[in-house]
């Protein structure tokens, strides 16, 4: 029988690692959004409608200013999003370590079987 050659693979292209990278960017964006909710918000609306009793179109503008008064709810959301960032980073590190250890374990098993085959061939 012909021995198959081992193709070395890169662990960087792993889908699990890509998932954690995407999750990190999502949680980071969520954290930035929570921080931006503390800033004042300005709204400008334009509307056009009809009124059946007046038999004409109504056109109007509306200007709004939203200023957050109570920061305790938003502060809790910011802390929670920061904790979520830390959790994702730790999960990614744990996944990398497990993936690398499994890869090394499989390489050790392959080496063991390769030595057994070499023994029988000689």
């Amino acid at each position: 029988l012909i021995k198959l050659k081992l193709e070395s693979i890169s662990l960087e292209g792993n889908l699990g690692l890509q998932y954690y990278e995407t999750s990190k960017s999502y949680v980071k964006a969520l954290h930035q959004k929570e921080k931006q909710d503390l800033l004042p918000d300005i709204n400008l609306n334009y509307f056009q409608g009809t009124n059946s009793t007046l038999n004409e179109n109504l056109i109007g503008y509306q200007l709004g200013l939203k200023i957050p008064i109570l920061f305790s709810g938003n502060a809790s959301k910011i802390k929670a999003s920061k904790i979520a960032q830390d959790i994702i980073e730790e999960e990614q590190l744990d996944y990398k370590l497990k993936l690398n250890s499994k890869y090394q374990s499989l390489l050790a098993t392959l080496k063991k079987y390769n030595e057994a085959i070499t023994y029988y061939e000689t």
Side-chain angles (χ1 to χ4, degrees), residues 37 65 73 77 79 89 98 102 110:
D37 282 345
L65 178 64
K77 288 179 183 179
K79 288 178 185 176
E89 287 176 5
K98 285 181 181 178
K102 182 66 175 176
L110 180 67

Side-chain angles (χ1 to χ4, degrees), residues 14-26 87-96:
N14 187 285
L15 290 178
L17 293 175
Q18 291 175 0
Y19 164 75
Y20 282 111
E21 285 298 323
T22 305
S23 296
K24 274 177 39 178
S25 63
Y26 169 74
I87 288 172
I88 289 293
E89 287 176 5
E90 291 298 322
E91 284 179 353
Q92 181 185 22
L93 181 62
D94 181 53
Y95 183 79
K96 276 183 180 179

Side-chain angles (χ1 to χ4, degrees), residues 67-81:
I67 301 172
I69 297 173
L70 302 174
F71 296 105
S72 62
N74 288 347
S76 299
K77 288 179 183 179
I78 291 171
K79 288 178 185 176
S81 63

Side-chain angles (χ1 to χ4, degrees), residues 1-40:
L1 296 176
I2 300 172
K3 279 192 204 179
L4 297 176
K5 293 188 178 186
L6 177 65
E7 294 179 17
S8 63
I9 59 171
S10 172
L11 296 181
E12 298 303 317
N14 187 285
L15 290 178
L17 293 175
Q18 291 175 0
Y19 164 75
Y20 282 111
E21 285 298 323
T22 305
S23 296
K24 274 177 39 178
S25 63
Y26 169 74
V27 172
K28 184 178 179 181
L30 185 64
H31 180 69
Q32 290 175 350
K33 182 239 178 231
E34 294 298 338
K35 286 170 65 174
Q36 284 181 348
D37 282 345
L38 293 175
L39 300 174

